[in-house]
Amino acid sequence: MKVLITGGAGFIGSAVVRRAVADGFDVVNLDVLAYSANLENVAEVAGSSRYAFEQADICDSAAVKAILARHQPDAIMHLAAESHNDRAIDGPLDFVRTNVMGTAVLLEAARAYWTDLPAERKAAFRFHHVSTDEVFGALGEDGAFTEDTPYDPNSPYSASKAGADHLVRAWGRTFKLPVVITNCANNYGPFQFPEKLIPTVVLRAMEGKSIPVYGDGRQVRDWLHVDDHADALLTVLQKGRLGETYCIGGDSNLRNIEVIKILCAHLDKLAPSNVPHESRIQFVADRPGHDFRYSIDASKLSAELGWAPRTPLAEGLEDTVRWYVENRDWWEGIRERGFHSERLGLATA
């Protein structure tokens, strides 16, 4: 199978690219290389005969159509998106452009391409849209999101992703484009851009800076290792039922403050300071529209496709801290290219 992956130089996208090439897929990585994308994330597969890179904007219809015609993929996995909630508050229209208009442009290009495929290839084609659990809004003290949870987004980011989900579903029902949608929990792991929660904590601690925590830090998230997510996405791409939605969770629910304290404990061992890293925690004003709790019930994915997360959260967090400690050149390179964020971000898909 040859799969076109949009956003393949980003955090989640690059994990999918690396895994797909290792599993024998032919991969075309389409990425505009915006601020959070980094071709170093896919350096290990860049020389593979199974890998090709195309720099383009998903909002550029002519460019997308030309790439589809040139590479003739068997499937599209759409991950390209603006995803950081703080940036969505500062510039919501950028999120509408990329996440809503970009998805619409990509769907139309895919529909034109799919329509002209020979019958056998047309029957096998699929468009896999990768989304977030944030489209469902916030949970109270109990319960979990399922595929039947009503949409109730609370931020410009989640609203733009909800809009994209609705467009994908509409193209499937109106034009019979073979689509599948996945909604995932908070991802973590290597190569995550420094503005997100976990790398923010690790990097600021390593530099002896304060560790800002929104509100009281009691917000709950379901944490999913990015490699487990990549495995789930490729499973759904190959085996998922067309027209269906699958929720992907890590079955690891913790409050943000608990995650931060775990990270600090690992940092005390892997990057010791003259004071315990936990002493650097500072509580700051909460972010507008900050959802209280997310949790995913991934039983449909497990029952239908046999997938389950493999990485225990304790092990995954320790390995992630170690990766950032041992790969200082990677994140210092990002800063040298102009990224300087002093704000804490809530990690999202």
Side-chain angles (χ1 to χ4, degrees):
M1 178 185 286
K2 178 185 283 189
V3 57
L4 174 73
I5 298 175
T6 71
F11 169 48
I12 300 174
S14 65
V16 179
V17 168
R18 296 190 302 269
R19 175 62 182 270
V21 172
D23 285 356
F25 289 81
D26 291 325
V27 173
V28 181
N29 177 2
L30 190 165
D31 201 301
V32 72
L33 295 183
Y35 76 96
S36 61
N38 190 343
L39 288 178
E40 293 177 23
N41 298 357
V42 292
E44 70 181 62
V45 300
S48 171
S49 62
R50 294 189 177 278
Y51 174 81
F53 174 70
E54 294 278 2
Q55 185 172 357
D57 187 341
I58 58 171
C59 293
D60 185 340
S61 177
V64 173
K65 288 180 179 179
I67 290 168
L68 289 172
R70 181 158 58 249
H71 290 281
Q72 294 289 303
D74 303 304
I76 295 172
M77 188 184 291
H78 177 36
L79 293 104
E82 293 278 358
S83 66
H84 188 47
N85 271 299
D86 285 350
R87 289 180 181 267
I89 293 169
D90 293 340
L93 294 186
D94 292 337
F95 284 66
V96 173
R97 178 187 181 275
T98 298
N99 298 352
V100 180
M101 285 304 302
T103 299
V105 169
L106 187 64
L107 283 165
E108 272 296 85
R111 181 167 73 98
Y113 169 75
W114 167 74
T115 298
D116 290 338
L117 286 175
E120 185 174 347
R121 292 193 62 208
K122 186 175 182 179
F125 183 83
R126 57 183 50 202
F127 184 107
H128 180 174
H129 175 62
V130 180
S131 189
T132 171
D133 59 358
E134 295 193 41
V135 299
F136 302 125
L139 292 165
E141 292 288 350
D142 53 21
F145 299 133
T146 72
E147 291 79 6
D148 296 322
T149 300
Y151 277 44
D152 188 24
N154 291 317
S155 70
Y157 162 62
S158 57
S160 69
K161 288 297 290 185
D165 291 9
H166 291 321
L167 289 173
V168 173
R169 195 168 286 112
W171 257 249
R173 292 176 179 171
T174 302
F175 304 113
K176 308 306 179 186
L177 185 69
V179 302
V180 64
I181 298 172
T182 51
N183 297 89
C184 72
N186 280 43
N187 279 223
Y188 73 98
F191 296 104
Q192 189 169 31
F193 196 70
E195 70 188 355
K196 297 300 182 103
L197 173 61
I198 288 175
T200 292
V201 171
V202 174
L203 272 54
R204 288 183 66 89
M206 289 176 63
E207 295 176 329
K209 297 179 179 179
S210 64
I211 300 171
V213 180
Y214 278 141
D216 58 9
R218 290 176 56 79
Q219 304 88 355
V220 178
R221 299 295 180 261
D222 182 4
W223 292 95
L224 172 66
H225 194 282
V226 70
D227 290 340
D228 287 340
H229 189 195
D231 178 55
L233 293 178
L234 291 171
T235 298
V236 172
L237 180 70
Q238 297 172 89
K239 302 178 182 178
R241 288 186 291 137
L242 294 178
E244 291 292 321
T245 296
Y246 294 91
C247 286
I248 306 173
D251 195 24
S252 298
N253 298 281
L254 279 183
R255 298 189 187 279
N256 284 347
I257 189 63
E258 295 173 321
V259 171
I260 291 168
K261 288 181 178 180
I262 291 171
L263 296 173
C264 287
H266 290 315
L267 283 160
D268 286 340
K269 293 184 297 182
L270 298 170
S273 176
N274 59 335
V275 298
H277 287 291
E278 188 175 323
S279 68
R280 303 187 191 279
I281 293 174
Q282 287 187 356
F283 295 93
V284 300
D286 209 351
R287 185 181 67 211
H290 198 170
D291 292 334
F292 172 65
R293 189 172 76 88
Y294 306 142
S295 180
I296 279 186
D297 176 353
S299 57
K300 176 180 176 180
L301 180 58
S302 174
E304 288 193 12
L305 306 183
W307 178 88
R310 299 177 181 176
T311 309
L313 183 60
E315 175 185 318
L317 288 177
E318 183 175 8
D319 289 346
T320 299
V321 172
R322 182 177 291 106
W323 187 90
Y324 281 100
V325 170
E326 295 177 351
N327 288 272
R328 193 179 188 108
D329 288 348
W330 180 85
W331 53 266
E332 284 187 339
I334 291 174
R335 289 187 169 175
E336 288 172 3
R337 290 191 288 273
F339 172 75
H340 299 282
S341 175
E342 294 301 318
R343 294 185 307 173
L344 173 65
L346 175 66
T348 56

